[in-house]
Amino acid sequence: MDFKNIIIELLSNYVLKLSESEMEEILEIPANAEMGDYAFPCFKLAKTYRKAPNMIANDIGNDIQKDITESDYISEVKIVGAYINFYVNKEKYVESILGKKGSLYNTTTDGKGKTIVLDYSSPNIAKPFHIGHLRTTIIGNSLYNIHNHLGYKCVGVNHLGDWGTQFGKLIVAYKLWGSKDRIENNGINELTKIYVKFHEEAENNPELEDEARAWFTKMENGNEEALELWQWFKDISLEEFNRIYKMLDIRFDSYAGESFYNDKMDAVIKDLEHKDLIEVSDGAKIISLENENMPPCLITKKDGSTLYATRDITAAIYRKNEYDFEKCIYVTAFDQNLHFAQWFKVIEKMGFGWHDKLIHVPYGLVSMESGKLSSRKGKVIYLEDLLKESVEKTKKIIEEKNPNLKDKEDVANIVGIGAIIFNDLYNNRIKDVVFSWDKVLNFEGETGPYVQYTYARAASVLRKAEYSVNNDNINYSLLTNELEFALIKTIGRFQNVVRQSAEKLEPSFISRYVVDLAQDFNRFYHNCPILVDDIDIKNARLALVNNVKEIIKTALSLLGIKAPEQM
Ligand code: ARG
């Protein structure tokens, strides 16, 4: 039983000119509880009814008021201006939310039988994993968890940047200035160093570029020496990436990177030619997108080598065949908008009806409050250092606030890493993130630690009460004071918030929601004593606390954050 549906059903007896789904779109939950638990604004009806919205609200509202005594579920209907405001029967409402025995936060079946492919993180081999990569990694991971929760089968793909002319440069640089030992000891750091040196030297010595191209051609032709070096660079890089994924507790279902498509691109290029989409310009193969007001999509360079877009087009076709996805989602910074718009168009021009199932999910940049990020001048901030620093800082805070805490190391890890993830997911993803330690680790603000602390608080109440779940003898009608009811209404929003965050591909809906929930809970906690003598009130409130605890845990897990039992 869902109150939203009850109200829609009720309304459908009176509002004959709108479909139920149209009404559902209009029905609101007022921010101010005094305006009702649900509100139906009549503005959109004005055109069809040829009447002023206020009058419509009045007419319909009056009719409903006359009949409402028949409903057990709605206690009152008020007309305010163009709004019809509904007040639910609190007891029934509370029971409808809490009496469900956990079905609220259990997996739904929305996505049953459907597959979502998510392409995220996808760092470039031999390049540092810096704070900019953090966003794709955790937004992608969260979108994975959200869809998984809704019952979709998810395939997380790490489309590693492991092919391209840069590897020719790296081979030349290694041969000239590289040292096996230094690379083995310092990993990507050292690879970056010689790569930067290559660019500096090539400014005065352009022949280096020719050499690099030649090495890349060797790679494309399967030259053993070239491929062995490339594989080694890749192994060294992956070792570092995997350390970070482990810290973040992130896994992928596939590591098929760009090189995976080497033997699959020819067929696609032939198909493009066969479909008459290719033009040759200066020896390069391109697809004109003039009619779409975009620069052409480059398929091969004049030396025959393929490009980023060639591999993306090939990968999409491969994934469609392999997974038959409902959606294929690509999470990257917004500076790749054009790239995705171009090759999505190529897929459409190829006549693939599924082109609209390809979705680019762009996000904004990260900057440090203390200064800009730069990958050029060696001032880059490595993600691994940032995560470690966060854990260290959290340790210090714990030492100050709660030195006797059990499992301090574990908690510091969960909170330190969680704080960074939460900070990243708290705003609309397209917004830029400014990183400031004071904000990230503020235990009182709208932060990960605040939500985790609230979780630990709920857990501690339940521990003290030796609570064990038993929904049978709960008298839900005891949970209808203002603060309890506000909290329960927030609980009731959860599943819808998850659905909307999947629809809009916005993890921030969940992070915002869980802060609301934590705030409502803390208001309740400070004003409504839980461990009281009256056993019925105590049991009802404990059941409420347990619900909140489970939802916080689920919501955090959807963001990729763990919940500590003590803090
Ligand atoms: N490797 C790319 C980069 O670091 C991101 C790849 C995104 N995925 C894709 N299929 N293009 O910018």
Side-chain angles (χ1 to χ4, degrees), residues 88-99:
V88 301
N89 173 326
K90 286 189 177 164
E91 278 93 28
K92 291 266 184 207
Y93 184 82
V94 170
E95 185 162 2
S96 81
I97 303 290
L98 299 187

mmCIF file with all atom_site columns, all heavy atoms in Angstrom, residues 88-99:
data_model
loop_
_atom_site.group_PDB
_atom_site.id
_atom_site.type_symbol
_atom_site.label_atom_id
_atom_site.label_alt_id
_atom_site.label_comp_id
_atom_site.label_asym_id
_atom_site.label_entity_id
_atom_site.label_seq_id
_atom_site.pdbx_PDB_ins_code
_atom_site.Cartn_x
_atom_site.Cartn_y
_atom_site.Cartn_z
_atom_site.occupancy
_atom_site.B_iso_or_equiv
_atom_site.pdbx_formal_charge
_atom_site.auth_seq_id
_atom_site.auth_comp_id
_atom_site.auth_asym_id
_atom_site.auth_atom_id
_atom_site.pdbx_PDB_model_num
ATOM 1  N N   . VAL A 1 88 ? -2.523 12.796 5.563  1.00 0.00 ? 88 VAL A N   1
ATOM 2  C CA  . VAL A 1 88 ? -2.774 11.353 5.648  1.00 0.00 ? 88 VAL A CA  1
ATOM 3  C C   . VAL A 1 88 ? -3.180 10.981 7.068  1.00 0.00 ? 88 VAL A C   1
ATOM 4  O O   . VAL A 1 88 ? -2.895 11.696 8.026  1.00 0.00 ? 88 VAL A O   1
ATOM 5  C CB  . VAL A 1 88 ? -1.527 10.548 5.240  1.00 0.00 ? 88 VAL A CB  1
ATOM 6  C CG1 . VAL A 1 88 ? -1.120 10.893 3.826  1.00 0.00 ? 88 VAL A CG1 1
ATOM 7  C CG2 . VAL A 1 88 ? -0.379 10.772 6.212  1.00 0.00 ? 88 VAL A CG2 1
ATOM 8  N N   . ASN A 1 89 ? -3.814 9.857  7.172  1.00 0.00 ? 89 ASN A N   1
ATOM 9  C CA  . ASN A 1 89 ? -4.079 9.262  8.474  1.00 0.00 ? 89 ASN A CA  1
ATOM 10 C C   . ASN A 1 89 ? -2.746 8.768  9.015  1.00 0.00 ? 89 ASN A C   1
ATOM 11 O O   . ASN A 1 89 ? -2.131 7.850  8.473  1.00 0.00 ? 89 ASN A O   1
ATOM 12 C CB  . ASN A 1 89 ? -5.062 8.104  8.288  1.00 0.00 ? 89 ASN A CB  1
ATOM 13 C CG  . ASN A 1 89 ? -5.274 7.323  9.563  1.00 0.00 ? 89 ASN A CG  1
ATOM 14 O OD1 . ASN A 1 89 ? -4.367 7.160  10.377 1.00 0.00 ? 89 ASN A OD1 1
ATOM 15 N ND2 . ASN A 1 89 ? -6.484 6.823  9.730  1.00 0.00 ? 89 ASN A ND2 1
ATOM 16 N N   . LYS A 1 90 ? -2.283 9.416  10.075 1.00 0.00 ? 90 LYS A N   1
ATOM 17 C CA  . LYS A 1 90 ? -0.911 9.178  10.522 1.00 0.00 ? 90 LYS A CA  1
ATOM 18 C C   . LYS A 1 90 ? -0.649 7.725  10.909 1.00 0.00 ? 90 LYS A C   1
ATOM 19 O O   . LYS A 1 90 ? 0.373  7.150  10.540 1.00 0.00 ? 90 LYS A O   1
ATOM 20 C CB  . LYS A 1 90 ? -0.578 10.097 11.687 1.00 0.00 ? 90 LYS A CB  1
ATOM 21 C CG  . LYS A 1 90 ? -0.360 11.521 11.240 1.00 0.00 ? 90 LYS A CG  1
ATOM 22 C CD  . LYS A 1 90 ? 0.182  12.373 12.346 1.00 0.00 ? 90 LYS A CD  1
ATOM 23 C CE  . LYS A 1 90 ? 0.436  13.772 11.780 1.00 0.00 ? 90 LYS A CE  1
ATOM 24 N NZ  . LYS A 1 90 ? 0.593  14.755 12.823 1.00 0.00 ? 90 LYS A NZ  1
ATOM 25 N N   . GLU A 1 91 ? -1.575 7.163  11.676 1.00 0.00 ? 91 GLU A N   1
ATOM 26 C CA  . GLU A 1 91 ? -1.345 5.776  12.114 1.00 0.00 ? 91 GLU A CA  1
ATOM 27 C C   . GLU A 1 91 ? -1.186 4.848  10.921 1.00 0.00 ? 91 GLU A C   1
ATOM 28 O O   . GLU A 1 91 ? -0.287 4.030  10.864 1.00 0.00 ? 91 GLU A O   1
ATOM 29 C CB  . GLU A 1 91 ? -2.492 5.276  12.993 1.00 0.00 ? 91 GLU A CB  1
ATOM 30 C CG  . GLU A 1 91 ? -2.395 5.702  14.444 1.00 0.00 ? 91 GLU A CG  1
ATOM 31 C CD  . GLU A 1 91 ? -3.163 6.989  14.706 1.00 0.00 ? 91 GLU A CD  1
ATOM 32 O OE1 . GLU A 1 91 ? -4.137 7.227  13.977 1.00 0.00 ? 91 GLU A OE1 1
ATOM 33 O OE2 . GLU A 1 91 ? -2.780 7.752  15.623 1.00 0.00 ? 91 GLU A OE2 1
ATOM 34 N N   . LYS A 1 92 ? -2.112 4.998  9.990  1.00 0.00 ? 92 LYS A N   1
ATOM 35 C CA  . LYS A 1 92 ? -2.061 4.132  8.802  1.00 0.00 ? 92 LYS A CA  1
ATOM 36 C C   . LYS A 1 92 ? -0.756 4.363  8.035  1.00 0.00 ? 92 LYS A C   1
ATOM 37 O O   . LYS A 1 92 ? -0.134 3.437  7.534  1.00 0.00 ? 92 LYS A O   1
ATOM 38 C CB  . LYS A 1 92 ? -3.227 4.448  7.870  1.00 0.00 ? 92 LYS A CB  1
ATOM 39 C CG  . LYS A 1 92 ? -4.550 4.052  8.426  1.00 0.00 ? 92 LYS A CG  1
ATOM 40 C CD  . LYS A 1 92 ? -4.921 2.674  7.947  1.00 0.00 ? 92 LYS A CD  1
ATOM 41 C CE  . LYS A 1 92 ? -6.315 2.369  8.456  1.00 0.00 ? 92 LYS A CE  1
ATOM 42 N NZ  . LYS A 1 92 ? -6.572 0.975  8.638  1.00 0.00 ? 92 LYS A NZ  1
ATOM 43 N N   . TYR A 1 93 ? -0.425 5.641  7.951  1.00 0.00 ? 93 TYR A N   1
ATOM 44 C CA  . TYR A 1 93 ? 0.771  5.971  7.180  1.00 0.00 ? 93 TYR A CA  1
ATOM 45 C C   . TYR A 1 93 ? 2.010  5.346  7.809  1.00 0.00 ? 93 TYR A C   1
ATOM 46 O O   . TYR A 1 93 ? 2.815  4.691  7.143  1.00 0.00 ? 93 TYR A O   1
ATOM 47 C CB  . TYR A 1 93 ? 0.937  7.496  7.088  1.00 0.00 ? 93 TYR A CB  1
ATOM 48 C CG  . TYR A 1 93 ? 2.099  7.899  6.230  1.00 0.00 ? 93 TYR A CG  1
ATOM 49 C CD1 . TYR A 1 93 ? 1.977  7.950  4.845  1.00 0.00 ? 93 TYR A CD1 1
ATOM 50 C CD2 . TYR A 1 93 ? 3.345  8.185  6.795  1.00 0.00 ? 93 TYR A CD2 1
ATOM 51 C CE1 . TYR A 1 93 ? 3.052  8.290  4.052  1.00 0.00 ? 93 TYR A CE1 1
ATOM 52 C CE2 . TYR A 1 93 ? 4.430  8.523  5.996  1.00 0.00 ? 93 TYR A CE2 1
ATOM 53 C CZ  . TYR A 1 93 ? 4.266  8.580  4.627  1.00 0.00 ? 93 TYR A CZ  1
ATOM 54 O OH  . TYR A 1 93 ? 5.334  8.895  3.844  1.00 0.00 ? 93 TYR A OH  1
ATOM 55 N N   . VAL A 1 94 ? 2.139  5.539  9.120  1.00 0.00 ? 94 VAL A N   1
ATOM 56 C CA  . VAL A 1 94 ? 3.312  5.010  9.812  1.00 0.00 ? 94 VAL A CA  1
ATOM 57 C C   . VAL A 1 94 ? 3.394  3.505  9.632  1.00 0.00 ? 94 VAL A C   1
ATOM 58 O O   . VAL A 1 94 ? 4.446  2.939  9.338  1.00 0.00 ? 94 VAL A O   1
ATOM 59 C CB  . VAL A 1 94 ? 3.252  5.381  11.314 1.00 0.00 ? 94 VAL A CB  1
ATOM 60 C CG1 . VAL A 1 94 ? 4.327  4.649  12.087 1.00 0.00 ? 94 VAL A CG1 1
ATOM 61 C CG2 . VAL A 1 94 ? 3.407  6.883  11.479 1.00 0.00 ? 94 VAL A CG2 1
ATOM 62 N N   . GLU A 1 95 ? 2.251  2.874  9.765  1.00 0.00 ? 95 GLU A N   1
ATOM 63 C CA  . GLU A 1 95 ? 2.263  1.421  9.619  1.00 0.00 ? 95 GLU A CA  1
ATOM 64 C C   . GLU A 1 95 ? 2.642  1.014  8.195  1.00 0.00 ? 95 GLU A C   1
ATOM 65 O O   . GLU A 1 95 ? 3.349  0.039  7.974  1.00 0.00 ? 95 GLU A O   1
ATOM 66 C CB  . GLU A 1 95 ? 0.900  0.846  9.989  1.00 0.00 ? 95 GLU A CB  1
ATOM 67 C CG  . GLU A 1 95 ? 0.935  -0.653 9.962  1.00 0.00 ? 95 GLU A CG  1
ATOM 68 C CD  . GLU A 1 95 ? -0.213 -1.295 10.712 1.00 0.00 ? 95 GLU A CD  1
ATOM 69 O OE1 . GLU A 1 95 ? -1.073 -0.550 11.226 1.00 0.00 ? 95 GLU A OE1 1
ATOM 70 O OE2 . GLU A 1 95 ? -0.214 -2.525 10.769 1.00 0.00 ? 95 GLU A OE2 1
ATOM 71 N N   . SER A 1 96 ? 2.173  1.803  7.234  1.00 0.00 ? 96 SER A N   1
ATOM 72 C CA  . SER A 1 96 ? 2.476  1.454  5.842  1.00 0.00 ? 96 SER A CA  1
ATOM 73 C C   . SER A 1 96 ? 3.975  1.543  5.564  1.00 0.00 ? 96 SER A C   1
ATOM 74 O O   . SER A 1 96 ? 4.502  0.844  4.712  1.00 0.00 ? 96 SER A O   1
ATOM 75 C CB  . SER A 1 96 ? 1.709  2.365  4.886  1.00 0.00 ? 96 SER A CB  1
ATOM 76 O OG  . SER A 1 96 ? 2.374  3.607  4.736  1.00 0.00 ? 96 SER A OG  1
ATOM 77 N N   . ILE A 1 97 ? 4.646  2.403  6.302  1.00 0.00 ? 97 ILE A N   1
ATOM 78 C CA  . ILE A 1 97 ? 6.090  2.542  6.069  1.00 0.00 ? 97 ILE A CA  1
ATOM 79 C C   . ILE A 1 97 ? 6.887  1.539  6.908  1.00 0.00 ? 97 ILE A C   1
ATOM 80 O O   . ILE A 1 97 ? 7.716  0.803  6.389  1.00 0.00 ? 97 ILE A O   1
ATOM 81 C CB  . ILE A 1 97 ? 6.576  3.972  6.430  1.00 0.00 ? 97 ILE A CB  1
ATOM 82 C CG1 . ILE A 1 97 ? 5.819  5.023  5.631  1.00 0.00 ? 97 ILE A CG1 1
ATOM 83 C CG2 . ILE A 1 97 ? 8.089  4.108  6.239  1.00 0.00 ? 97 ILE A CG2 1
ATOM 84 C CD1 . ILE A 1 97 ? 6.126  5.057  4.173  1.00 0.00 ? 97 ILE A CD1 1
ATOM 85 N N   . LEU A 1 98 ? 6.610  1.523  8.192  1.00 0.00 ? 98 LEU A N   1
ATOM 86 C CA  . LEU A 1 98 ? 7.445  0.709  9.080  1.00 0.00 ? 98 LEU A CA  1
ATOM 87 C C   . LEU A 1 98 ? 6.992  -0.741 9.153  1.00 0.00 ? 98 LEU A C   1
ATOM 88 O O   . LEU A 1 98 ? 7.772  -1.622 9.505  1.00 0.00 ? 98 LEU A O   1
ATOM 89 C CB  . LEU A 1 98 ? 7.461  1.303  10.497 1.00 0.00 ? 98 LEU A CB  1
ATOM 90 C CG  . LEU A 1 98 ? 8.014  2.716  10.632 1.00 0.00 ? 98 LEU A CG  1
ATOM 91 C CD1 . LEU A 1 98 ? 8.133  3.093  12.090 1.00 0.00 ? 98 LEU A CD1 1
ATOM 92 C CD2 . LEU A 1 98 ? 9.367  2.847  9.952  1.00 0.00 ? 98 LEU A CD2 1
ATOM 93 N N   . GLY A 1 99 ? 5.745  -0.990 8.842  1.00 0.00 ? 99 GLY A N   1
ATOM 94 C CA  . GLY A 1 99 ? 5.224  -2.352 8.987  1.00 0.00 ? 99 GLY A CA  1
ATOM 95 C C   . GLY A 1 99 ? 5.654  -3.274 7.869  1.00 0.00 ? 99 GLY A C   1
ATOM 96 O O   . GLY A 1 99 ? 5.325  -4.449 7.842  1.00 0.00 ? 99 GLY A O   1
#
